[in-house]
Amino acid sequence: MTIEIRKAHRRTLSREALFSLVWEKPMTKVALELGISDVAVRKICVKHKIPRPPQGHWAAARPKSPPASLPSVPTHMEEISIYVPEKVLGRAPTSDSKDELPGKVEAVIAKGVPTRLGHGLGATYTELRRGDVDRYGYCRPNYQSGTHEVIATKASLKRAVYLMEYIFRVCGAAGFSIGSDEFSRNRWSMSSWVSRGGVSVSIRIKSSVRQIELDTSGDRSDYHKFTYSDSGKLSVTIGGNVTVRETDMLPLEANMPVIYRKIVREHEAEGERKRQRAVELRNREIREQVGRIDALSNEAARRQVSNLEAFKSQLMKIEENRHFYAALESHGELQEIDGFGDWYLWSKNVLPTEIAGSARYALHRHQVLSEIIEELKGLDPGNSELCHESLHQIAFKLDQLS
């Protein structure tokens, strides 16, 4: 196992300097300037008690003014140390940087959590609020009513659907389309996804619940030993593989840049997986076509041999018949038997003595089979549609020769 030790450079700045930065420009731009993530900037602000602009500050017509002074902290917290990876130092900010968000996305994030629901989330909220509650406290829709994948308790439901709307609007600003199944297969089947360029990524929001053990002094089954209560925290699962969980210091609504970046990365990863699946499917189709070509080629070669053996058998029978008639003709006394001549003529029609017709038929079959084998050799397994149609026609020809 190899452990990579990454060198880091230590930067220091005062609380006042960072306070000025976070009130001068959006958090993502401050993070880019310092060479760290916006999440790290938020954590530093929380740790050192540095007030930050509220959500929607940069999009507001009349932004809120910064506080007149900073809260007091111990002396050792007045100076902030930031460790920046060496490879980040000296990197000029560019529009291609993965740390920089697209302008439209930044604008939507700056507005904060929406105040209205769209994308069918209003219907989802109503359906879940009116639906039943399962043993874990999660709201479930009625059967066959398509809803977005919001798995939440009644206490967290409203916040969860507004968070989903926030995510949808951020993704919409980046050119993603939003989707959900119109009907669900059952009450536990919900779906939400964002799609761009023919590649979709599922999005699920779920509230966290705590398991509480009940009094087990009585005779209770495992099903009734526990109850569940809402923890007040949400999580976002992206593509079924990546989950972003909130903490006491960092709610998901304030972590939207990270959520968006993870959606983009998972979208890129899913696009690569989709391309790999297409390549694997293509290779499997080619292998199947090659297998069919080989099978038909072997069958045609087998029939050539069978055709030759059949002609050989016919030739040997004709030779036997010729010897038989030669023997009859050598015995002249047989001609004197009454009716022998008629019987002799009748037998000539039953036991053939000519081979030319059989030879022509056998040769024709051999030539047809040779043409089929040459046609099979010329097929391109990579041209799936044409190859499939040609194999179908060749298989029909073989059946006609049976």
Side-chain angles (χ1 to χ4, degrees):
M1 178 179 177
T2 302
I3 300 176
E4 179 186 359
I5 300 176
R6 296 172 61 189
K7 295 182 180 179
H9 175 75
R10 181 172 176 264
R11 280 182 175 176
T12 60
L13 72 162
S14 65
R15 288 176 72 225
E16 289 77 9
L18 183 57
F19 173 71
S20 299
L21 280 174
V22 297
W23 283 90
E24 284 175 4
K25 60 188 74 175
M27 198 71 72
T28 52
K29 293 187 178 179
V30 174
L32 196 62
E33 183 175 323
L34 296 177
I36 57 178
S37 69
D38 53 336
V39 175
V41 175
R42 286 188 179 88
K43 288 182 178 180
I44 291 170
C45 289
V46 171
K47 180 180 178 181
H48 292 267
K49 297 184 179 180
I50 300 173
R52 294 168 293 149
Q55 282 193 4
H57 173 80
W58 301 105
R62 303 174 74 179
K64 184 179 177 182
S65 299
S69 61
L70 287 169
S72 60
V73 294
T75 306
H76 71 276
M77 293 181 65
E78 289 291 344
E79 186 178 76
I80 301 170
S81 296
I82 300 173
Y83 292 89
V84 185
E86 195 175 66
K87 66 177 183 179
V88 177
L89 294 175
R91 182 179 65 188
T94 65
S95 58
D96 294 330
S97 171
K98 290 187 177 179
D99 291 329
E100 188 172 354
L101 298 173
K104 291 183 179 179
V105 170
E106 247 186 6
V108 174
I109 292 176
K111 290 179 181 178
V113 180
T115 56
R116 287 189 173 186
L117 294 175
H119 305 101
L121 281 165
T124 292
Y125 176 65
T126 302
E127 184 64 39
L128 291 175
R129 188 163 51 87
R130 292 177 179 175
D132 297 329
V133 176
D134 64 17
R135 64 171 299 205
Y136 302 102
Y138 294 129
C139 302
R140 294 296 181 182
N142 292 322
Y143 183 63
Q144 286 191 340
S145 57
T147 58
H148 284 286
E149 196 164 4
V150 178
I151 304 173
T153 62
K154 292 213 170 188
S156 300
L157 179 59
K158 186 173 182 179
R159 183 185 164 216
V161 293
Y162 275 91
L163 176 60
M164 183 71 91
E165 175 65 22
Y166 194 11
I167 292 172
F168 284 168
R169 292 196 184 188
V170 169
C171 291
F176 286 92
S177 58
I178 314 302
S180 175
D181 287 338
E182 186 176 351
F183 297 100
S184 60
R185 294 183 297 275
N186 53 57
R187 296 178 63 196
W188 285 265
S189 177
M190 298 182 281
S191 64
S192 301
W193 65 82
V194 294
S195 179
R196 184 172 66 182
V199 178
S200 299
V201 176
S202 63
I203 307 289
R204 182 184 71 189
I205 293 181
K206 187 176 182 179
S207 26
S208 172
V209 295
R210 299 189 193 94
Q211 186 184 70
I212 302 172
E213 188 170 1
L214 299 174
D215 179 15
T216 57
S217 57
D219 184 17
R220 290 177 178 267
S221 65
D222 289 342
Y223 186 87
H224 297 98
K225 282 183 180 179
F226 303 99
T227 188
Y228 299 86
S229 68
D230 192 298
S231 68
K233 292 184 174 61
L234 299 176
S235 65
V236 178
T237 301
I238 303 160
N241 302 314
V242 180
T243 300
V244 182
R245 293 180 173 85
E246 66 182 355
T247 63
D248 293 331
M249 292 193 302
L250 189 63
L252 289 176
E253 290 85 348
N255 207 14
M256 191 55 65
V258 170
I259 294 173
Y260 169 74
R261 291 188 186 103
K262 288 185 180 294
I263 289 173
V264 171
R265 292 189 189 112
E266 183 60 22
H267 177 266
E268 291 171 353
E270 178 59 29
E272 182 59 30
R273 288 192 291 268
K274 185 175 180 180
R275 285 188 287 273
Q276 289 177 357
R277 288 194 295 269
V279 170
E280 290 171 2
L281 178 61
R282 176 74 172 157
N283 291 338
R284 186 167 69 248
E285 287 178 349
I286 290 175
R287 287 194 300 270
E288 290 174 355
Q289 300 286 33
V290 170
R292 290 189 64 197
I293 290 172
D294 290 343
L296 288 174
S297 297
N298 293 336
E299 176 63 16
R302 186 191 66 78
R303 292 194 182 190
Q304 280 186 316
V305 175
S306 298
N307 179 61
L308 179 61
E309 289 177 345
F311 175 68
K312 174 186 173 183
S313 177
Q314 184 72 12
L315 178 61
M316 292 177 69
K317 286 182 180 180
I318 288 175
E319 285 297 313
E320 184 180 341
N321 293 341
R322 286 179 175 178
H323 286 301
F324 169 70
Y325 287 116
L328 287 179
E329 292 169 358
S330 66
H331 293 275
E333 66 274 14
L334 294 175
Q335 302 295 330
E336 299 176 1
I337 300 174
D338 187 27
F340 178 81
D342 295 333
W343 180 73
Y344 176 83
L345 294 174
W346 171 83
S347 68
K348 294 282 279 187
N349 295 323
V350 176
L351 301 175
T353 57
E354 295 297 326
I355 194 63
S358 298
R360 282 192 293 269
Y361 176 72
L363 181 59
H364 171 71
R365 283 175 60 87
H366 178 80
Q367 290 172 339
V368 172
L369 290 167
S370 296
E371 290 172 1
I372 287 175
I373 291 173
E374 288 302 314
E375 188 176 354
L376 287 167
K377 287 180 181 178
L379 290 180
D380 178 14
N383 190 340
S384 180
E385 187 175 347
L386 180 60
C387 184
H388 179 78
E389 180 63 27
S390 298
L391 288 173
H392 179 73
Q393 294 175 0
I394 290 171
F396 180 74
K397 284 183 185 178
L398 283 174
D399 288 338
Q400 294 296 101
L401 286 173
S402 300

